[in-house]
Amino acid sequence: MADIFSAELNPGKLDVVSAWLSRQDWTAGTDVAPESLRTLSSYRFDDPAGEVGVEIHIVASGDRVFQVPLTYRGEPLASAEEHLIGTMDHSILGKRWVYAGMGDPLFRQRLDHAIATAGTSARQYRVDDEGTRIEEITDVAHAWGTGPLAGAEDVEMLYELTLDSPTEKPEAGLLVGRWPGQDSRVVLAVMV
């Protein structure tokens, strides 16, 4: 389960998402400035230790849809400077170091685990400043794994999503998802 505070963030999440997208060669020619991005949804994975926020944002610019996995840590991740996107101030948790998800071993472990065990994204709850759960957040994406693909050794996260084409990959070895307004499932990651 993921507990979500009603906190002020500086910079905001779309600013961080935009910063990461602007560094990617494959977004050339697409306006990925924060004011040009539309948030479609997001989903999270659990950190068993409850220390790291693991969140995947689904955003659009024009007719392109992107998936941006991030981790939020309370201290710098050793030997991961190249994956650091920046820092943000969280009004309740303090300074957070924000990393590109695929560069964070915890994110990769949680993604692999979800696919291999046919696991699901975390249930999310709004909490008050003391961490007491107030209500479940239901207007988020739901992602689930399909089980391992025999012989697969790694997972490829899809950063650009195709929303209107049927799943063409084998049924096993996928992370797929849906969110409010997206009725058909979308492939989010593939075991290779």
Side-chain angles (χ1 to χ4, degrees):
M1 291 177 268
D3 292 337
I4 312 299
F5 291 96
S6 294
E8 291 182 34
L9 302 173
N10 186 24
K13 290 181 181 181
L14 270 183
D15 295 308
V16 175
V17 167
S18 171
W20 184 82
L21 284 170
S22 68
R23 297 178 191 168
Q24 310 309 310
D25 293 340
W26 44 267
T27 62
T30 300
D31 187 356
V32 293
E35 58 275 5
S36 298
L37 295 175
R38 294 183 330 274
T39 298
L40 299 180
S41 196
S42 66
Y43 60 100
R44 288 180 172 255
F45 290 124
D46 284 324
D47 168 15
E51 296 294 321
V52 179
V54 180
E55 184 173 34
I56 302 88
H57 298 269
I58 302 170
V59 298
S61 178
D63 60 356
R64 296 181 76 185
V65 177
F66 304 112
Q67 178 177 220
V68 181
L70 302 174
T71 59
Y72 311 106
R73 292 179 166 269
E75 58 186 49
L77 178 61
S79 302
E81 295 81 17
E82 68 186 272
H83 303 292
L84 178 66
I85 299 170
T87 60
M88 65 172 38
D89 292 317
H90 188 289
S91 62
I92 296 168
L93 301 176
K95 188 172 185 177
R96 309 302 283 170
W97 281 259
V98 184
Y99 291 90
M102 291 302 280
D104 188 319
L106 177 71
F107 176 82
R108 293 184 70 91
Q109 188 275 333
R110 300 314 298 161
L111 176 61
D112 289 354
H113 182 266
I115 295 174
T117 65
T120 65
S121 52
R123 293 174 71 178
Q124 299 181 46
Y125 293 89
R126 270 190 229 319
V127 297
D128 63 21
D129 291 356
E130 288 77 43
T132 303
R133 290 195 177 123
I134 299 169
E135 65 181 342
E136 185 173 1
I137 302 169
T138 57
D139 60 343
V140 293
H142 177 69
W144 64 95
T146 61
L149 182 63
E153 297 179 7
D154 200 6
V155 174
E156 176 187 340
M157 190 84 186
L158 303 181
Y159 295 119
E160 187 161 6
L161 302 178
T162 303
L163 305 183
D164 58 359
S165 65
T167 303
E168 296 175 9
K169 306 271 186 207
E171 286 299 310
L174 300 176
L175 181 73
V176 295
R178 284 192 189 103
W179 53 89
Q182 178 62 37
D183 295 331
S184 60
R185 70 183 190 165
V186 176
V187 176
L188 305 170
V190 181
M191 277 192 155
V192 291

